[in-house]
Amino acid sequence: MGIVLKQSLNNTIVTYFGFAIGAANTLFLYTNFMQPSNYGLIQVILSVSAVLMPILAFGVPNSLVKFYSSFSNEQSQNSFLTLMLLLPLILIIPVAFISYVANDAIGNLLSKQNDVVRDYVWHIFLTGMAMAYFEVFYAWARVKMKSMFGNFMKEIFCRIGQTILLLLLYFKVIDIEFFINALVGFYLVRAIIMKLYAYTIRKPKLNFKLPKNWKTIVKYSALIILGGSTAIVLMEVDKVMLNNFLKLENVAFYSVAGFIASTIAVPSRAMHQITYPLTATYLNNNDKRALAQLYKKSSLTLFIVSGILFLLILLNLSELYELLPEKYSGGFMIVFWVGLVKVYDALLGNNNSILFNSDYYRSILFFGVLLAVLAILFNLWMIPTYGINGAAIASFSAFFIYNTLKLAYVKSKFKILPFTYETLKVLALLLVVAVIFSAFNFSFHPLLNIILKSILMMIFYVGVLYRFKISEDVYGFLSKYLSR
């Protein structure tokens, strides 16, 4: 777990720095410098692009991680990497053609409630393509255990670009149309930079001879499209469908609340960047003991971190909303339901890595597609009934069923669970923290209240974790830094 914890901590720092920039953009710059309808339009463009991304990537990022370690000589690796570079074009080229021929029809489909969306079909395609190839080259670097630069590009680069564009928009140097075009440009440039970096780690030598197991690789990649699409659909479908039922400003309000809750997922995202290739290696080597240990430790560590983040956000939410424009302040239930989703995700540890790198990926992909359909049905039912809160409840319901099925499936096939006795201890500690600090109400400025309450909560929480050694990894990390 040493390399996992070390790289995860480094990636967490980078990711949280990116989220700090994202928080400044989402909570203060977008909400004050841009009309909610324009912000909602940008969120729709990025959300639809994110849904399109795994389709255009053709499952290559997952295939790179799964199969790369199985090729032992340079020639076979070159054949494999050449295939990985070309495979996304199988879908990128026809989707580009369809976007050109059926531009009006696609625009009409996306703009049933908001006509302005119809003019941005090509923006969505180009952003989705840039996202897809960025993930390909990011995976290229991760298989060599080089994840920090890619993490920087993923979490920080485009957010800094948005900050610059928002400031230019505020000072009326640019208009909203230029803003959107430039934002697409940032995603394209990011993909190119990631490509150049990946090539410095492992320069490709084109070899058009297909690997011996190319049929298995292509079949896996095609099926993984469904898996990747499922995860993205479950995360982004709420914003896409809000666009079809409500005015664009509601997408902006939902996005702000969703962003607040999404900070809970930062440690998970950071850790998965290193646990994913490790899991693939353990499965390829049939090292069941190491796999089980990684499963339990990743679950406990992520639950410890995500649980306290959930409470920090929830118990400080009223003060945080006092700092935002009043029209954005009605998202408590969105934060609650989306936050619960992120905590449950964290509790599963490297569950996704186990499933997508094992021989059982076909079955779980079937569950994923079924649940993506279920998520759409939940949204069709709950958004017209409950508005933006309905989208959050729909997302929670779909993810709860999806994660529970994945948990049960890994248990049935690998005979392992991520939970330990320490998991119950952490749950009990979180409940105690919630009860104690929900009664704390200071009468200072909202920002000072947030800082003071957060410090007291962290001192109490970390103190109990350290005193009772609930997690070996967390205790070792704290001992290392406290001794200094």
Side-chain angles (χ1 to χ4, degrees), residues 291-340:
L291 182 66
Q293 186 180 45
L294 182 64
Y295 193 26
K296 292 176 181 178
K297 287 193 172 185
S298 62
S299 171
L300 182 60
T301 301
L302 291 175
F303 184 43
I304 287 171
V305 179
S306 66
I308 191 60
L309 287 175
F310 179 64
L311 292 183
L312 284 169
I313 290 170
L314 216 58
L315 296 182
N316 287 304
L317 194 56
S318 59
E319 288 85 356
L320 177 59
Y321 274 138
E322 288 183 40
L323 301 173
L324 302 181
E326 186 177 352
K327 54 193 171 185
Y328 284 92
S329 62
F332 181 87
M333 294 308 298
I334 299 170
V335 175
F336 176 77
W337 290 113
V338 177
L340 280 182

Side-chain angles (χ1 to χ4, degrees), residues 198-365:
Y199 285 180
T200 64
I201 297 172
R202 175 68 159 78
K203 189 175 181 180
K205 295 180 180 178
L206 296 180
N207 185 343
F208 295 100
K209 182 180 179 181
L210 291 172
K212 292 182 179 179
N213 59 337
W214 71 270
K215 290 183 180 179
T216 302
I217 295 170
V218 173
K219 184 178 180 180
Y220 175 83
S221 297
L223 288 171
I224 283 295
I225 293 175
L226 301 177
S229 299
T230 297
I232 296 295
V233 165
L234 288 172
M235 288 189 293
E236 301 291 345
V237 69
D238 41 14
K239 285 178 277 189
V240 175
M241 295 190 69
L242 279 171
N243 168 62
N244 284 329
F245 286 101
L246 304 173
K247 295 295 184 182
L248 275 174
E249 52 263 29
N250 289 283
V251 181
F253 303 151
Y254 186 90
S255 297
V256 169
F259 178 85
I260 294 170
S262 70
T263 56
I264 298 168
V266 175
S268 300
R269 292 168 63 176
M271 182 176 282
H272 292 332
Q273 287 156 13
I274 190 65
T275 58
Y276 201 99
L278 275 177
T279 302
T281 301
Y282 293 153
L283 286 167
N284 287 336
N285 296 335
N286 198 30
D287 192 343
K288 295 180 180 179
R289 182 177 178 182
L291 182 66
Q293 186 180 45
L294 182 64
Y295 193 26
K296 292 176 181 178
K297 287 193 172 185
S298 62
S299 171
L300 182 60
T301 301
L302 291 175
F303 184 43
I304 287 171
V305 179
S306 66
I308 191 60
L309 287 175
F310 179 64
L311 292 183
L312 284 169
I313 290 170
L314 216 58
L315 296 182
N316 287 304
L317 194 56
S318 59
E319 288 85 356
L320 177 59
Y321 274 138
E322 288 183 40
L323 301 173
L324 302 181
E326 186 177 352
K327 54 193 171 185
Y328 284 92
S329 62
F332 181 87
M333 294 308 298
I334 299 170
V335 175
F336 176 77
W337 290 113
V338 177
L340 280 182
V341 168
K342 304 304 181 184
V343 173
Y344 196 4
D345 279 345
L347 190 58
L348 264 61
N350 65 325
N351 179 282
N352 269 343
S353 303
I354 294 172
L355 290 171
F356 288 125
N357 287 291
S358 71
D359 294 331
Y360 302 109
Y361 64 89
R362 296 175 184 85
S363 298
I364 203 64
L365 291 179

Side-chain angles (χ1 to χ4, degrees), residues 283-467:
L283 286 167
N284 287 336
N285 296 335
N286 198 30
D287 192 343
K288 295 180 180 179
R289 182 177 178 182
L291 182 66
Q293 186 180 45
L294 182 64
Y295 193 26
K296 292 176 181 178
K297 287 193 172 185
S298 62
S299 171
L300 182 60
T301 301
L302 291 175
F303 184 43
I304 287 171
V305 179
S306 66
I308 191 60
L309 287 175
F310 179 64
L311 292 183
L312 284 169
I313 290 170
L314 216 58
L315 296 182
N316 287 304
L317 194 56
S318 59
E319 288 85 356
L320 177 59
Y321 274 138
E322 288 183 40
L323 301 173
L324 302 181
E326 186 177 352
K327 54 193 171 185
Y328 284 92
S329 62
F332 181 87
M333 294 308 298
I334 299 170
V335 175
F336 176 77
W337 290 113
V338 177
L340 280 182
V341 168
K342 304 304 181 184
V343 173
Y344 196 4
D345 279 345
L347 190 58
L348 264 61
N350 65 325
N351 179 282
N352 269 343
S353 303
I354 294 172
L355 290 171
F356 288 125
N357 287 291
S358 71
D359 294 331
Y360 302 109
Y361 64 89
R362 296 175 184 85
S363 298
I364 203 64
L365 291 179
F366 170 76
F367 291 135
V369 173
L370 178 65
L371 287 165
V373 173
L374 192 60
I376 294 171
L377 294 176
F378 279 148
N379 276 282
L380 287 172
W381 167 36
M382 292 184 179
I383 292 176
T385 306
Y386 303 107
I388 58 176
N389 289 334
I393 298 170
S395 292
F396 171 79
S397 303
F399 264 105
F400 182 83
I401 296 171
Y402 183 52
N403 285 344
T404 303
L405 276 175
K406 291 191 297 181
L407 184 69
Y409 199 77
V410 169
K411 174 63 171 66
S412 68
K413 297 300 181 181
F414 294 89
K415 312 303 179 187
I416 54 176
L417 280 171
F419 313 130
T420 62
Y421 184 54
E422 283 69 28
T423 306
L424 294 177
K425 292 181 181 179
V426 174
L427 178 60
L429 175 58
L430 289 169
L431 291 174
V432 170
V433 172
V435 170
I436 292 174
F437 288 94
S438 60
F440 276 64
N441 291 304
F442 302 110
S443 58
F444 307 121
H445 185 275
L447 184 59
L448 185 57
N449 289 345
I450 292 172
I451 295 171
L452 184 57
K453 187 186 289 187
S454 299
I455 291 174
L456 292 174
M457 288 175 66
M458 288 302 299
I459 290 173
F460 179 82
Y461 186 69
V462 173
V464 174
L465 285 173
Y466 184 76
R467 171 64 179 82

